[in-house]
Amino acid sequence: MSIQTLISQATIPSSPFDTDSFNQVVMSTYARFPIALERGAGCRVWDTQGREYLDFVAGIATCTLGHAHPALVEAVTRQIQKLHHVSNLYYIPEQGELAKWIVQHSCAERVFFCNSGAEANEAAIKLARKYAHTVLQIEKPIILTANDSFHGRTLATITATGQPKYHKNFEPLMPCFHYVPYNDIEAVEAAISELDEGDYRVAAILIEPLQGEGGVRPGDIAYFQKLRQICDETGVLLIFDEVQVGMGRSGKLWGYECLGVEPDIFTSAKGLGGGIPIGAMMSKSFCDVFQPAEHASTFGGNPFACAVALTVCQTLEQENLLENVEQRGEQLRNGLQAIAAKYPNHITEVRGWGLINGMVLNTQTQLTAADIVKAAINEGLLLVPAGPKVVRFVPPLIVTEKEVEQALQAVDKAMAAVTENLG
């Protein structure tokens, strides 16, 4: 069934959604926008009232192929009829095929599968700590992370996250993490010099090639190349969190390719399964020190998730989506810069790679990212904040030239509406 057919079938509204009933039984862990989505096709979704939206959120950089992509539908249908879950006590052919694809298309030599980005980062943290103890002979290994980073919601990964707002009321945090400013190599060098005394030593640097939740802030090439040099000279492991920027979103398959360096360990999730939960932690063979029973996941690497993820990987190649990401990303940034020029008192910068971009608001303006997101919803466009002053644009990688233009028109109208309300 084609995307066009799915779109034509997706316009029939159902009954109104009862938000009060929902809120009575679901924990309030999200401040939700007041729409309920129930259908999708391509880069478009429909709410329970039948209203259509252009989706530039994509499940927060997750729906790589958009919604109801025929290849994804076929893969899901085929695998669920065959075998959807068995234990990792047995060999899983689909898991091996996906790992082989990743190894062939990256600097990785080993892969561990899990279910989410946070789990992938947990695995990386554990691997780094074991490597520190068994290879580097560090009694109390420290992992450096960056201010304004985001690495997940588990206790270890919120500790790794260099944003105090995520730490509040969850103390005591995990020990042996230290934060440094992003893109500041002198701060890294000073931290290593200061921390490498006594029983404590820096064992790893965990960092995003582009900070997503931290404001869509790209890494500086010279900074990352110097990080690689420092790690080579000291034996410190270089770990990249590619949960949001990986799987083609940057215009390259992996974010590290934009920086001209290779990590020792890197993580993926979000776009890897195109919306089906899966995570992965990849490493070079020299630091693959896990042994049986030291790390595991009941659902990680199951046949269903791996078959779907492999389809996503293969479709990226078959449909030449990386070229589309580069072209549509340039179109989007150019259009956003034109809008920014109309509102110089409110918008200071447009930044990003490929199809992960941020429109940065002036810290002096009353406008927030949430204000613009709400206004965009009224124009039929879904966007997502990346902090209080950055509006994030992360559409499916299949987005078309026409759809980018429609999104830009909606942003222009949304900006006109919110600035008019300021008087």
Side-chain angles (χ1 to χ4, degrees):
M1 184 178 294
S2 69
I3 291 293
Q4 289 72 25
T5 302
L6 289 163
I7 289 174
S8 68
Q9 293 179 350
T11 57
I12 303 172
S14 61
S15 58
F17 186 79
D18 186 352
T19 56
D20 290 337
S21 177
F22 181 97
N23 291 330
Q24 286 176 8
V25 294
V26 178
M27 285 188 177
S28 301
T29 55
Y30 288 87
R32 294 177 171 86
F33 294 104
I35 57 175
L37 302 176
E38 66 172 3
R39 294 184 297 276
C43 293
R44 300 177 186 278
V45 291
W46 286 261
D47 66 18
T48 54
Q49 302 302 298
R51 187 179 180 194
E52 177 183 320
Y53 302 87
L54 189 55
D55 183 7
F56 269 50
V57 179
I60 310 185
T62 297
C63 298
T64 305
L65 305 181
H67 304 279
H69 191 287
L72 211 59
V73 171
E74 196 278 331
V76 166
T77 304
R78 179 182 67 248
Q79 191 61 41
I80 201 68
Q81 292 174 334
K82 181 182 176 184
L83 186 68
H84 71 285
H85 178 74
V86 291
S87 170
N88 277 293
L89 292 171
Y90 316 107
Y91 287 97
I92 300 173
E94 294 82 2
Q95 182 180 140
E97 287 300 308
L98 177 58
K100 182 179 179 180
W101 190 95
I102 292 172
V103 168
Q104 290 177 341
H105 292 81
S106 75
C107 65
E109 295 169 316
R110 298 286 190 277
V111 186
F112 169 82
F113 290 108
C114 50
N115 310 287
S116 69
E119 288 183 43
N121 286 333
E122 284 271 356
I125 291 167
K126 285 182 66 176
L127 186 63
R129 284 190 170 188
K130 185 182 179 188
Y131 183 83
H133 286 295
T134 61
V135 178
L136 300 179
Q137 304 299 312
I138 300 175
E139 182 177 344
K140 296 179 180 179
I142 295 174
I143 297 177
L144 295 185
T145 68
N147 294 335
D148 300 317
S149 60
F150 183 83
H151 299 294
R153 301 280 186 167
T154 64
L155 194 54
T157 55
I158 64 164
T159 306
T161 294
Q163 298 193 56
K165 68 180 181 181
Y166 291 111
H167 302 164
K168 186 178 180 180
N169 295 327
F170 296 110
E171 300 90 350
L173 301 176
M174 295 288 290
C176 295
F177 287 92
H178 183 84
Y179 314 111
V180 293
Y182 191 64
N183 281 338
D184 184 342
I185 199 64
E186 292 181 357
V188 173
E189 292 172 329
I192 292 175
S193 177
E194 178 183 344
L195 294 167
D196 280 4
E197 297 182 3
D199 294 333
Y200 290 92
R201 274 182 55 201
V202 174
I205 300 172
L206 170 59
I207 195 163
E208 298 159 276
L210 174 149
Q211 289 189 329
E213 301 297 324
V216 191
R217 184 175 290 107
D220 179 73
I221 292 176
Y223 169 80
F224 273 84
Q225 291 180 343
K226 184 62 175 178
L227 280 184
R228 181 68 272 175
Q229 180 183 339
I230 290 171
C231 291
D232 289 340
E233 292 172 351
T234 61
V236 169
L237 292 176
L238 184 58
I239 307 172
F240 283 1
D241 177 344
E242 296 229 6
V243 169
Q244 188 160 161
V245 78
M247 282 306 295
R249 185 150 292 279
S250 70
K252 306 291 184 182
L253 187 56
W254 306 107
Y256 69 75
E257 296 178 88
C258 297
L259 300 168
V261 298
E262 292 184 357
D264 303 310
I265 300 169
F266 65 103
T267 58
S268 179
K270 286 188 179 291
L272 178 59
I276 299 299
I278 187 170
M281 184 269 291
M282 287 71 69
S283 78
K284 298 289 185 69
S285 57
F286 81 88
C287 54
D288 173 23
V289 294
F290 278 156
Q291 296 296 317
E294 290 186 335
H295 197 59
S297 170
T298 296
F299 296 107
N302 69 66
F304 180 78
C306 287
V308 174
L310 182 59
T311 296
V312 172
C313 295
Q314 293 170 340
T315 304
L316 276 173
E317 291 185 286
Q318 293 164 0
E319 297 191 1
N320 198 23
L321 290 182
L322 293 182
E323 182 178 345
N324 188 62
V325 171
E326 290 186 347
Q327 293 174 350
R328 300 287 72 77
E330 184 177 1
Q331 177 192 358
L332 179 60
R333 284 187 296 277
N334 288 340
L336 290 175
Q337 286 164 357
I339 293 172
K342 294 172 62 175
Y343 300 96
N345 294 330
H346 301 290
I347 303 172
T348 60
E349 184 183 1
V350 174
R351 62 193 182 203
W353 292 338
L355 286 175
I356 177 167
N357 294 283
M359 186 172 73
V360 184
L361 303 181
N362 192 324
T363 56
Q364 303 304 313
T365 183
Q366 298 177 37
L367 287 181
T368 67
D371 292 332
I372 296 172
V373 169
K374 291 175 184 176
I377 288 175
N378 293 333
E379 301 299 332
L381 174 66
L382 301 185
L383 301 172
V384 59
K389 288 290 185 177
V390 180
V391 181
R392 183 171 18 172
F393 298 75
V394 281
L397 306 192
I398 62 168
V399 69
T400 66
E401 181 179 1
K402 181 179 178 180
E403 287 168 333
V404 170
E405 183 56 37
Q406 290 173 341
L408 290 168
Q409 292 173 7
V411 173
D412 201 9
K413 292 178 180 177
M415 284 299 302
V418 293
T419 53
E420 182 180 358
N421 290 338
L422 291 178

